[in-house]
Amino acid sequence: MEKILAAASAVLGERVSRPVDLGGSSRSHVLRCETGDGGTVVVKAYLDASGFGAEVAGLPLGGGLGPRLLAVDPSFPLIVMSDLGAGPSLADVLLGESADAAREGLLTWARTYGRIAVAGAGRRHEWERSRAAYSGDGAGRRPFPEVGDLREVLPVVPAGLGGELTTLKAIVERYPVFSPGDICPDNNLLTADGLRVLDFESAGYHSAFLEAAYVRMPFATCWCAFRLPPRVEAEIEDVYRKEVLVVHPELADDELWEAGVRQAVAVWTIFMTWVLVPRARERDEPMHSTRTPVPSRRQLLRYRWSRLLDELDRGGDEFPAVREAVRACLESTAEWEVVELPRYPAFTPTEPG
């Protein structure tokens, strides 16, 4: 802690003190610190160089919708950012009691990420140069599993699965947009100035479809994942889509959009199957160690698999091997006997649509 404060003070050019731990992750330490004039800043010290480089490069591309980058120390490495305050997160609102507040938060969330996509349009080379300067040649992108990775995870590996995974993996580069990366509800702060994004540690360019799938699933890789009313889900997806048409107007084609989002749902579901199944087989535990309510690993997996089958049914006969593998996942875990994933607490079971 003393080393972090000393390095932050040196690079900022004024003393920071009285740190408050904001949580961070296994990849970083995040501290709210006081400055000499009584203000506060946020100091983030990294254990992962790729996360450091992505965030330093990504914050200036955020269109003013994230923290301002105040100082950078590549030798530590750490950054000092403006403090966005301590308002409720989107997760707090979704787990709360107001459907109106949750709906408005989701609409603002979708609009914000669409606008960030627009702000980063045409700036990919700028981001890549900056990221490489601070973290070398590692982009920090989440890996996508190959067939060999899934053999220990899936109950069956159907013929043709490898080819279908190759097809799905290609979606990552289609219709790219800039994104902070980790767009889960707890990384979004609802402030007096609107929604502000807290985390650019996984920032970079990936398909708009991968972002849109976060709406439809919802929140592909997050602990704060329950069901949305279909009406609300469609509304927030439409808001994001309209914003991103500024970058990729061809996505106004409904057939193209539906196929792309459907494939992105498959990509995220396969990825999270790879991540969660080994731990879920061992025992069922909550997706978050301290927050409540929260789904369990098994509960979330079974929902993801069921939802993907519904999506694939809309696509006709595409991806039969993926379909067979996912159906086998559901059949082989029937003994888990978990209750169906409910709606977000803010959207009661009687909430229309």
Side-chain angles (χ1 to χ4, degrees):
M1 185 68 72
E2 290 180 1
K3 290 180 179 179
I4 292 174
L5 294 179
S9 298
V11 73
L12 186 62
E14 63 176 302
R15 183 172 178 267
V16 299
S17 61
R18 301 174 63 86
V20 175
D21 191 344
L22 298 181
S25 68
S26 60
R27 302 178 301 276
S28 61
H29 301 294
V30 185
L31 310 171
R32 173 177 288 120
C33 301
E34 292 186 7
T35 57
D37 61 1
T40 58
V41 295
V42 172
V43 177
K44 189 168 187 178
Y46 299 80
L47 305 175
D48 182 335
S50 65
F52 168 67
E55 192 141 35
V56 172
L59 282 169
L61 274 63
L65 296 169
R68 287 183 294 112
L69 184 62
L70 303 177
V72 181
D73 182 353
S75 64
F76 198 88
L78 63 74
I79 64 174
V80 184
M81 301 176 284
S82 61
D83 185 2
L84 296 177
S89 70
L90 180 57
D92 295 328
V93 172
L94 289 169
L95 300 180
E97 298 179 352
S98 172
D100 288 341
R103 173 182 169 275
E104 186 57 38
L106 287 165
L107 291 171
T108 306
W109 172 87
R111 194 173 295 113
T112 295
Y113 286 103
R115 291 176 178 174
I116 288 176
V118 173
R123 303 177 69 182
R124 184 166 189 165
H125 292 308
E126 173 188 340
W127 176 84
E128 289 176 343
R129 285 194 302 270
S130 180
R131 189 267 308 158
Y134 285 106
S135 62
D137 58 2
R141 175 176 289 164
R142 295 183 180 101
F144 187 70
E146 306 288 347
V147 170
D149 300 314
L150 295 172
R151 291 192 185 281
E152 299 299 318
V153 174
L154 299 176
V156 298
V157 179
L161 183 61
E164 292 181 14
L165 292 180
T166 299
T167 299
L168 288 170
K169 187 162 57 173
I171 197 176
V172 173
E173 299 296 338
R174 293 176 60 201
Y175 305 103
V177 294
F178 176 71
S179 169
D182 189 348
I183 63 174
C184 294
D186 54 330
N187 281 330
N188 297 273
L189 201 65
L190 299 170
T191 76
D193 297 321
L195 187 142
R196 294 294 180 265
V197 180
L198 297 177
D199 190 350
F200 283 69
E201 199 170 324
S202 300
Y205 287 80
H206 62 210
S207 174
F209 295 137
L210 292 177
E211 210 92 333
Y214 257 69
V215 177
R216 195 175 290 190
M217 296 185 70
F219 301 117
T221 63
C222 313
W223 61 265
C224 184
F226 292 94
R227 290 188 300 115
L228 286 169
R231 171 182 56 82
V232 174
E233 182 182 292
E235 192 176 14
I236 59 177
E237 184 175 324
D238 187 55
V239 165
Y240 175 76
R241 183 184 181 187
K242 286 179 178 176
E243 294 286 345
V244 85
L245 288 180
V246 175
V247 184
H248 297 295
E250 55 269 56
L251 295 182
D253 183 294
D254 288 341
E255 185 175 347
L256 175 63
W257 178 262
E258 285 299 320
V261 178
R262 183 168 60 246
Q263 291 170 28
V265 170
V267 167
W268 284 128
T269 302
I270 292 165
F271 175 79
M272 291 309 294
T273 298
W274 179 44
V275 170
L276 290 180
V277 162
R279 286 176 282 176
R281 277 180 181 162
E282 183 179 342
R283 58 181 176 274
D284 196 20
E285 290 185 338
M287 288 291 294
H288 196 286
S289 60
T290 59
R291 294 296 301 262
T292 56
V294 64
S296 74
R297 293 170 182 164
R298 293 179 177 181
Q299 190 179 28
L300 187 56
L301 277 168
R302 287 188 59 82
Y303 172 72
R304 295 291 192 225
W305 294 329
S306 296
R307 185 60 191 265
L308 177 55
L309 286 180
D310 289 342
E311 290 292 329
L312 292 176
D313 284 344
R314 297 190 186 100
D317 297 328
E318 65 180 358
F319 304 112
V322 170
R323 192 191 306 263
E324 181 182 347
V326 172
R327 189 175 292 113
C329 286
L330 280 169
E331 292 171 354
S332 67
T333 59
E335 75 276 7
W336 284 357
E337 295 183 345
V338 293
V339 299
E340 183 182 15
L341 189 73
R343 286 184 177 181
Y344 281 99
F347 299 105
T348 65
T350 57
E351 178 72 15

